[in-house]
Amino acid sequence: MPENQQPRIGVYICHCGGNISGAVQCESVAKALKGLPNVTITRTDESMCSDAGQSLIEKDIQELGINRVVVGACAPMLHEQTFRGAVTRAGLNPFLYHHVGLREQDSWVHGHDKTAATDKALRLMSAGVAKARLLQPLDPIRLGAEKHALVIGGGVAGLRAALDIARQGLRVTLIEKSPFLGGRMAQLETVFPTEEEARALLHDLIQKVTAHPNVTIFMGAEVMGVSGYVGNFTIQVKQHSRGVSDDNAEALMSACTQEVPDPFNYGLTKRKVIYRPYEGCYSSTPAVDWDHYDGRPFDVNGWPIELKDEPKSFELNVGAVVVATGFDPYTPPQGEYGFGELPQVVTLPQLIRHLALSKDGKSLQWNGRAVRDVALIHCVGSRQVDGVHQPQEDGQVNNYCSRVCCTASLHMTADLHKRYPELNIYDLHQDIRTYGRGHEEYYRHALEDGVRFLRYNGEEVPEVSPAPQGDSHPVLVKVKDMLTYGEEIEIPVDLVVLAVGFMPRDLHGLDKMLKISRGNDRFLLEVHPKLRPVETAVKGVILAGSAQGPMNIQESLSAASAAAAKVASLLGRGKVELPPFVAAVDVEKCNGTGACVEACVYEGAIALQTFNENGEEVKRAVITPANCVGCGACVAVCPNNAVNVQGWTLAQYEAMVEAIGMDLPAMTEVTA
Amino acid sequence: MDDLHMDALVIGGGIAGMQSALDLGDQGFQVALVERDPSIGGRMITLSKVFPTLDCCSCITTPKMSAVAHHPNIHLYTYCEIQSVQEHGAGFDVSILQKPRYVDISKCTGCRECEYECPITVPSPFDRNLGAYRAIRVPFSTAVPQKAVLDPEYCLWCGKCEQKCPVEAIDFSQQPETFTIEADSIIMATGFDLTPVSTKKEYGAGKLHNVIDPLMMERFLAPTGPYGRVLRPGDGKEPGSIAYVQCAGSRDETLGITYCSRVCCMYAIKQAMLLNGALPMADITIYYMDIRTFGKGYEQFYQNAKAMGVNFVRGKVASIREDADQNPILKVEMTDTGEIVEQTFDLVVLSQGIVPASHPTVSLPLGSDGFISVPAPDSAPCVTGRPGIFVTGTAAGPMDIVDSIVSASAAAAEASAYIRENGSRLEVEKEALYA
Ligand SMILES: Cc1cc2nc3c(=O)[nH]c(=O)nc-3n(C[C@H](O)[C@H](O)[C@H](O)COP(=O)(O)OP(=O)(O)OC[C@H]3O[C@@H](n4cnc5c(N)ncnc54)[C@H](O)[C@@H]3O)c2cc1C
Ligand SMILES: Cc1cc2nc3c(=O)[nH]c(=O)nc-3n(C[C@H](O)[C@H](O)[C@H](O)COP(=O)(O)OP(=O)(O)OC[C@H]3O[C@@H](n4cnc5c(N)ncnc54)[C@H](O)[C@@H]3O)c2cc1C
Ligand code: SF4
């Protein structure tokens, strides 16, 4: 085994295409490191992570007998795995590799001071070398994986993810919080860009999902707790009662008199507390709206029948979790563009529902009046500007673009024009972002249809106010229009439509249970926005659809299928590998104080066990690697230094600290 | 070469094709990746830094290339052309032409001795012909595979490389070879080209000295670029003022390209930010109709660029000509004032859009925009009009890298489901694998 011989360390410094070499004199650092004990070779390269760069390492291992490797490059998050791979290919244990972050930790932050950056690089690298001398081969923790995934959310993304996971030959359980499947898409009518019926598309998808033998669905269900790790998550689920069955549903529904605003129609209509959101919904069995049901018994043929929610709790064992919890449309605060104050101000999702409920006729009716002129305002709740817009609870405005609303708006104007050709439509936007395949066509049609486009600046948003008494129209919209060279234009209208953006749903702690981070925009955060767009920082927890950021249906579908591909790669073999950076106890040193067990917050990670030592009963700490996260809390409290995190031992830390503080003889020369 | 059986065949080794291949390979499927160029990497490997993270492009592309090259289930066929695709049960027989490299890749170590010896200098398409390389060369420093290729168009057959090669890999007698791969499914990842502006006379039809395309600017800005700095191709001077003409060749009825190319707003903003770093004194102006920064984090990126001092001017560039010193002069209809103004710049970048790359001989229905048709985007965004053939990345319309990667994984999921549902020829092995 080469690893047990004297350390022969190979040291490699990456220019990172100028990212590092722009601030750090890589060649000088390499030269200075050459003199360190056990360093057999130092090299620099334009791009160590390239195939050519990796081959350098492989060749040195094979030809020079290098048995420890240190690379100074970008952040370990990006390329530690890459180099461990190269080391493995050359026949060395992958954990005889140490990665030094010279870019994020050095060149990017000290670019203004090249001498200091070079000095720091040298110290970081020399610490890396010091650690490398003490590296020992390690084996990853290999565990069986459940070939079963959980999908949370039964909108179009969750449904598609479930279907595609099932099609990869894995079992899948889908949990939907509401008693019905379909999510926001069910609230749409025809959809861009295909002009297909949203609910018909959903119906097809739901049929495929429910027909698939690998799929189990729980509606009216929520996740209450999560434990475990990739391959072996345990999920606590609570499922509410439906409250009615197919046998008694019709009788109970007609007996029910309690009505509440219907969220399916965004409060435009009312519905009973025993309900189906729409005809043709899945499941077709109605459900009780427990959040609103006042608990009074129903009178069915003279019999008082009281309904009770008797939630069931159960556990699921799954190997991976796909989060597809979707979005909420932005709700403007009272008074933004007259919303909540003027009855003539509605949101785009509301107008979609209103049109679905409206009969065809000569004119669009709103509030009992014919609408002759309508103004549509873009970017409501999106692309907000600090100081101009009211911030959300976290003090931040929504400074992102919601990407769907422009095309959804022009899709709406097309629909309005088709149904009510006499209607005058004003479209107030900043930029028209019809970016997708088949989207620009809606913009062109809107121009042909005579939609009047006005353009405002983000800092000077339009004003919506009640028109003076006696005006022909109830509402006045004022806008400084950049298409007419900044002219102040007043538009009297009967209806104002706010193209509201996307907001992430309130997840009631689900994100914390799963340890998913959120971005500045509050949407769920992917681990790398470019390279790993559907994975999170937690292995085995994957994102799908608009929970991650605004997306249209097509994009939600693609993200969902991509999530399924990731699940299949993780679980398809029925095994997972976890990194070996977990605590390990030196039984020689342990005398069973139990301080470590007290310090550990992870269930089942460390425990005292009784052993027989020379006929004497002794207690010793024992680690269960699968439950240990390697946080090191136990290491810090052990009075005997008997615990170490493998791959990051106390001895290694000490060597690194010592090296980092030491001036190398060559250093003065290098950084002078 | 022998006939080969594969679960999937991916055509095109850009970021989309590589990601599809990796996702299928990771699931245990046998994948052939066929690339027409001598190296995989596609357009992405030629870029400088990527929006919105400003990661150095080679830093995030080369590891993918390397992962593909080392993957036990991925079989790489570079410098190959697809000749025909024939249905075979639920799968296909794909006939492939291996173009001669005149280098035996089983021997070549990529040491580049041949390249150093070769007397012929030729323009390098990797550098958008701004730089030069030799008639025999490793295509670029991070190419995968790291194998030399000889360009017969320029070679004088002087034989110097053959004498110099330490492993006797040069083989002038190589001939094109045809072989067949049987594949259960196909993924099209053939990517894009820039919209041609040769017919856009108003913009100089590609003849003005200091009017460049955006991929050239990527090479100017790339640390591995031909000059390591930004200069005017006309005279090598450092530009003090640079203009971007947005929608040059997109949303343009006169060119018959009416769609939005999706990436040009963002790459122009990215380049403007990078130029701000490379040429701190330069004035940068972006002329646009709409700024479409719709992706995650993109609007914020745009606002940052504004705060950095990049000028965003709403205006339609009507025409470009040049003065006696070859300085481009833009004639702009200013949207915000209605005026028509003329403005002279040192350098102009045409933010050209995206058109499909030439397609291999796979007959597939195309959309009216020329990209491979996706008949049901709202239910199956990667499924083409031909069963068993899927599409990903910019072959299915303009998209950026992150959208290409998502679509690539989605195409992999579709393909793997198709392979399972239609009885793979390798069923026996697969069962063993999943047991
Ligand atoms: C006004 C408007 C018009 C639109 N028009 C179009 C169009 O024409 N074409 C188009 O392509 N796109 C359109 N869209 C976009 C489209 O609505 C979305 O792309 C799509 O609905 C996103 O689906 P999803 O599954 O990601 O999220 P959702 O539809 O929000 O589904 C999420 C699901 O998860 C459930 N859930 C949430 N939290 C939990 C939890 N904790 N536990 C369990 N379940 C949970 C929810 O109940 C819901 O069923 C439009 C959007 C808007 C706002
Ligand atoms: C100037 C510019 C700057 C950009 N900057 C960014 C950026 O910063 N961030 C970002 O996210 N996006 C950016 N993009 C977009 C990005 O380049 C694309 O999203 C991405 O490269 C698309 O990858 P692809 O795999 O679909 O296509 P390609 O990269 O074009 O790859 C296609 C591959 O298929 C091969 N091929 C083609 N036809 C055949 C055939 N018949 N047989 C075999 N092989 C074939 C090609 O040789 C090529 O290798 C930019 C685009 C441009 C034009
Ligand atoms: S998609 Fe259009 S309306 Fe929506 S936030 Fe973006 S620019 Fe504004």
Side-chain angles (χ1 to χ4, degrees):
Chain A
M1 286 289 275
E3 34 247 44
N4 297 329
Q5 295 156 2
Q6 271 291 321
R8 291 175 62 80
I9 306 175
V11 179
Y12 305 85
I13 299 171
C14 183
H15 286 195
C16 195
N19 271 297
I20 294 173
S21 56
V24 173
Q25 298 165 40
C26 300
E27 272 65 31
S28 311
V29 175
K31 210 172 112 204
L33 292 167
K34 211 169 253 166
L36 292 178
N38 302 104
V39 171
T40 307
I41 181 98
T42 64
R43 295 186 194 274
T44 63
D45 194 69
E46 184 66 33
S47 163
M48 279 305 299
C49 60
S50 69
D51 214 44
Q54 294 184 49
S55 311
L56 281 180
I57 301 179
E58 290 172 50
K59 244 170 100 183
D60 288 348
I61 292 172
Q62 275 151 0
E63 292 173 6
L64 305 178
I66 295 297
N67 58 17
R68 304 285 188 280
V69 174
V70 180
V71 177
C74 53
M77 201 186 103
L78 274 169
H79 285 324
E80 192 171 45
Q81 286 313 321
T82 310
F83 293 117
R84 285 203 204 288
V87 167
T88 311
R89 281 197 301 278
L92 211 58
N93 181 286
F95 299 97
L96 296 172
Y97 170 76
H98 180 71
H99 195 99
V100 180
L102 289 185
R103 195 179 70 178
E104 282 80 349
Q105 281 187 41
D106 189 0
S107 65
W108 274 359
V109 280
H110 307 299
H112 54 281
D113 185 347
K114 298 195 168 141
T115 310
T118 301
D119 179 76
K120 183 170 175 183
L122 191 45
R123 289 174 189 277
L124 290 172
M125 288 303 292
S126 129
V129 169
K131 182 182 174 195
R133 277 189 209 107
L134 302 177
L135 285 175
Q136 290 299 320
L138 297 170
D139 282 322
I141 302 163
R142 296 194 176 83
L143 297 165
E146 291 286 340
K147 294 172 81 168
H148 177 196
L150 171 70
V151 175
I152 307 175
V156 64
L159 288 165
R160 182 70 204 199
L163 178 62
D164 281 348
I165 293 168
R167 291 168 79 204
Q168 313 301 326
L170 300 166
R171 276 198 307 133
V172 58
T173 298
L174 186 146
I175 287 185
E176 166 58 49
K177 192 170 174 183
S178 98
F180 302 93
L181 297 180
R184 296 278 170 213
M185 188 172 159
Q187 291 168 283
L188 304 176
E189 297 299 303
T190 59
V191 291
F192 69 77
T194 56
E195 293 301 320
E196 289 165 288
E197 291 286 337
R199 286 186 296 276
L201 288 170
L202 265 177
H203 185 78
D204 270 2
L205 180 57
I206 290 173
Q207 211 159 36
K208 285 186 190 137
V209 174
T210 51
H212 205 290
N214 293 357
V215 184
T216 312
I217 299 176
F218 296 103
M219 288 171 282
E222 286 171 81
V223 170
M224 305 306 290
V226 177
S227 60
Y229 41 84
V230 59
N232 300 277
F233 290 104
T234 305
I235 313 282
Q236 253 87 40
V237 183
K238 179 165 103 182
Q239 187 181 26
H240 297 275
S241 315
R242 225 169 163 85
V244 299
S245 67
D246 282 337
D247 300 336
N248 64 10
E250 297 307 325
L252 279 164
M253 268 170 89
S254 48
C256 173
T257 51
Q258 191 200 342
E259 290 201 332
V260 292
D262 185 355
F264 185 77
N265 288 328
Y266 295 102
L268 295 176
T269 58
K270 293 192 158 185
R271 66 146 162 75
K272 298 185 174 182
V273 290
I274 304 177
Y275 71 103
R276 287 189 190 93
Y278 57 92
E279 277 317 305
C281 59
Y282 188 93
S283 147
S284 61
T285 310
V288 178
D289 177 353
W290 300 113
D291 291 340
H292 294 103
Y293 171 43
D294 58 16
R296 271 184 288 181
F298 299 96
D299 178 354
V300 180
N301 305 326
W303 292 94
I305 295 186
E306 202 177 313
L307 300 179
K308 269 220 164 62
D309 181 17
E310 282 159 352
K312 277 185 290 191
S313 292
F314 53 93
E315 262 184 22
L316 293 171
N317 293 317
V318 297
V321 180
V322 176
V323 184
T325 47
F327 74 102
D328 275 330
Y330 171 82
T331 310
Q334 173 94 5
E336 185 175 9
Y337 298 111
F339 185 80
E341 289 174 349
L342 303 179
Q344 296 84 359
V345 179
V346 293
T347 66
L348 180 61
Q350 284 179 319
L351 182 62
I352 292 175
R353 296 314 312 143
H354 177 69
L355 281 177
L357 299 166
S358 303
K359 295 202 174 58
D360 274 337
K362 210 168 139 30
S363 62
L364 170 65
Q365 299 287 315
W366 180 258
N367 234 2
R369 288 180 55 145
V371 178
R372 294 153 294 169
D373 298 274
V374 55
L376 211 153
I377 303 178
H378 287 233
C379 302
V380 178
S382 309
R383 301 182 67 186
Q384 292 181 325
V385 180
D386 269 323
V388 175
H389 294 94
Q390 191 176 322
Q392 296 291 315
E393 271 169 30
D394 63 356
Q396 306 256 21
V397 296
N398 294 347
N399 58 4
Y400 53 86
C401 163
S402 288
R403 113 185 238 166
V404 176
C405 16
C406 270
T407 313
S409 296
L410 298 185
H411 175 244
M412 170 55 81
T413 64
D415 198 30
L416 284 173
H417 180 79
K418 198 164 95 207
R419 285 176 69 169
Y420 312 110
E422 307 284 292
L423 190 68
N424 294 312
I425 306 173
Y426 299 87
D427 180 292
L428 282 57
H429 64 275
Q430 303 185 58
D431 299 275
I432 293 288
R433 295 186 167 171
T434 42
Y435 60 86
R437 207 174 177 190
H439 295 193
E440 188 75 5
E441 282 79 346
Y442 287 101
Y443 190 12
R444 255 203 325 278
H445 287 153
L447 289 164
E448 286 163 15
D449 289 348
V451 173
R452 268 162 268 182
F453 286 92
L454 300 98
R455 176 169 273 186
Y456 66 91
N457 275 333
E459 294 81 16
E460 299 170 292
V461 296
E463 277 174 36
V464 176
S465 51
Q469 276 291 316
D471 259 24
S472 57
H473 294 70
V475 180
L476 200 60
V477 178
K478 279 189 220 150
V479 56
K480 190 168 162 195
D481 174 29
M482 303 319 291
L483 294 177
T484 51
Y485 325 132
E487 197 183 335
E488 291 274 2
I489 296 183
E490 295 195 349
I491 317 163
V493 295
D494 304 294
L495 184 67
V496 176
V497 183
L498 307 180
V500 292
F502 278 49
M503 298 272 288
R505 280 186 205 253
D506 183 355
L507 294 182
H508 304 285
L510 179 67
D511 46 339
K512 300 226 168 55
M513 284 183 234
L514 288 164
K515 304 190 187 81
I516 316 175
S517 320
R518 289 171 182 266
N520 287 336
D521 56 8
R522 294 174 230 94
F523 286 96
L524 301 181
L525 191 64
E526 58 288 320
V527 61
H528 191 283
K530 227 49 278 171
L531 289 184
R532 294 166 65 196
V534 299
E535 292 159 85
T536 70
V538 184
K539 200 168 175 189
V541 177
I542 296 159
L543 304 176
S546 60
Q548 189 188 2
M551 288 187 194
N552 62 31
I553 294 166
Q554 181 176 0
E555 291 156 353
S556 303
L557 287 167
S558 288
S561 299
K566 299 295 157 195
V567 170
S569 308
L570 277 176
L571 305 183
R573 290 179 168 78
K575 315 194 259 285
V576 286
E577 282 191 358
L578 303 178
F581 306 118
V582 294
V585 177
D586 181 345
V587 280
E588 302 281 297
K589 287 190 185 163
C590 175
N591 60 9
T593 64
C596 49
V597 181
E598 247 166 70
C600 180
V601 296
Y602 294 93
E603 217 179 287
I606 190 164
L608 287 183
Q609 279 180 23
T610 311
F611 292 86
N612 192 313
E613 221 178 74
N614 309 327
E616 216 182 302
E617 296 244 307
V618 294
K619 290 199 186 273
R620 297 287 178 260
V622 176
I623 308 281
T624 306
N627 294 333
C628 173
V629 301
C631 71
C634 52
V635 179
V637 298
C638 178
N640 305 316
N641 285 350
V643 207
N644 265 300
V645 173
Q646 299 192 95
W648 291 98
T649 64
L650 289 171
Q652 290 168 349
Y653 273 117
E654 276 158 22
M656 289 175 83
V657 171
E658 194 173 326
I660 231 170
M662 198 152 57
D663 286 335
L664 297 182
M667 187 118 79
T668 36
E669 179 190 322
V670 169
T671 54
Chain B
M1 276 183 237
D2 294 333
D3 285 359
L4 300 156
H5 290 244
M6 294 282 164
D7 295 313
L9 182 129
V10 178
I11 306 177
I15 184 63
M18 292 194 289
Q19 185 63 48
S20 287
L22 286 168
D23 279 325
L24 285 165
D26 284 350
Q27 287 183 54
F29 293 105
Q30 296 299 309
V31 189
L33 180 59
V34 182
E35 165 60 52
R36 68 177 170 191
D37 283 350
S39 169
I40 55 172
R43 296 280 178 207
M44 186 174 165
I45 190 62
T46 73
L47 303 180
S48 54
K49 295 192 174 182
V50 288
F51 62 75
T53 48
L54 294 185
D55 274 316
C56 120
C57 210
S58 78
C59 303
I60 65 174
T61 317
T62 48
K64 285 263 182 215
M65 294 160 68
S66 170
V68 166
H70 295 297
H71 203 293
N73 298 335
I74 300 176
H75 311 270
L76 204 52
Y77 300 92
T78 51
Y79 216 35
C80 284
E81 298 277 357
I82 304 291
Q83 288 193 305
S84 68
V85 171
Q86 231 110 58
E87 257 83 7
H88 180 153
F92 306 90
D93 287 340
V94 183
S95 160
I96 299 169
L97 179 87
Q98 173 71 64
K99 294 179 272 188
R101 285 180 98 105
Y102 302 104
V103 169
D104 180 344
I105 60 169
S106 65
K107 291 185 187 156
C108 173
T109 63
C111 69
R112 305 186 128 178
E113 290 293 336
C114 53
E115 188 173 339
Y116 305 142
E117 202 64 19
C118 176
I120 308 294
T121 307
V122 304
S124 149
F126 180 75
D127 279 329
R128 285 299 282 174
N129 298 339
L130 293 169
Y133 54 17
R134 300 295 158 152
I136 184 165
R137 71 269 159 166
V138 173
F140 50 96
S141 66
T142 53
V144 168
Q146 277 281 310
K147 306 284 177 191
V149 57
L150 181 146
D151 188 341
E153 199 188 324
Y154 294 96
C155 179
L156 298 179
W157 313 102
C158 67
K160 286 195 171 146
C161 51
E162 190 182 23
Q163 286 155 22
K164 188 75 188 185
C165 177
V167 291
E168 296 180 355
I170 312 289
D171 177 3
F172 295 127
S173 72
Q174 267 186 5
Q175 294 295 320
E177 265 185 71
T178 304
F179 62 104
T180 302
I181 294 181
E182 274 183 58
D184 290 352
S185 64
I186 294 178
I187 294 180
M188 303 295 297
T190 43
F192 73 96
D193 271 333
L194 291 182
T195 49
V197 284
S198 49
T199 51
K200 188 83 183 167
K201 291 209 183 61
E202 302 88 310
Y203 290 174
K207 300 223 166 64
L208 302 179
H209 293 85
N210 294 310
V211 175
I212 62 172
D213 77 37
L215 286 168
M216 288 177 167
M217 185 54 96
E218 292 289 337
R219 294 312 300 153
F220 279 131
L221 289 166
T224 56
Y227 309 115
R229 60 198 187 90
V230 183
L231 44 75
R232 303 196 335 158
D235 50 19
K237 276 200 251 170
E238 192 166 273
S241 62
I242 302 161
Y244 280 82
V245 180
Q246 294 308 107
C247 297
S250 306
R251 303 175 66 192
D252 185 340
E253 309 235 355
T254 64
L255 292 179
I257 296 173
T258 53
Y259 54 83
C260 163
S261 289
R262 275 175 89 141
V263 294
C264 332
C265 281
M266 278 301 282
Y267 74 59
I269 296 172
K270 167 189 78 175
Q271 292 185 355
M273 283 176 141
L274 296 175
L275 283 167
N276 208 306
L279 304 168
M281 303 310 289
D283 286 326
I284 303 154
T285 309
I286 297 182
Y287 292 100
Y288 70 98
M289 301 200 275
D290 299 278
I291 289 290
R292 294 188 165 172
T293 45
F294 56 83
K296 194 168 180 171
Y298 293 6
E299 178 69 15
Q300 296 88 320
F301 194 77
Y302 168 35
Q303 298 305 334
N304 289 348
K306 272 197 199 165
M308 271 170 110
V310 176
N311 285 316
F312 287 86
V313 178
R314 248 175 215 149
K316 181 121 190 65
V317 175
S319 63
I320 311 174
R321 57 193 173 84
E322 63 183 18
D323 66 14
D325 298 326
Q326 301 182 344
N327 298 314
I329 306 170
L330 302 191
K331 188 167 167 192
V332 191
E333 287 167 40
M334 307 289 273
T335 315
D336 292 356
T337 61
E339 293 166 297
I340 294 186
V341 297
E342 287 208 324
Q343 186 91 38
T344 306
F345 290 91
D346 292 341
L347 184 65
V348 167
V349 183
L350 295 179
S351 290
Q352 285 159 249
I354 281 181
V355 294
S358 59
H359 290 299
T361 357
V362 179
S363 80
L364 276 173
L366 303 182
S368 57
D369 53 10
F371 292 95
I372 294 172
S373 166
V374 173
D378 283 338
S379 42
C382 299
V383 174
T384 70
R386 209 168 150 185
I389 305 188
F390 307 94
V391 63
T392 174
T394 46
M399 59 179 94
D400 61 16
I401 293 162
V402 63
D403 289 346
S404 298
I405 289 182
V406 171
S407 105
S409 296
E414 285 284 6
S416 61
Y418 181 87
I419 301 163
R420 280 173 213 282
E421 285 160 8
N422 291 281
S424 162
R425 269 172 286 229
L426 300 174
E427 204 52 66
V428 188
E429 288 103 297
K430 200 107 28 53
E431 279 309 313
L433 182 77
Y434 278 85

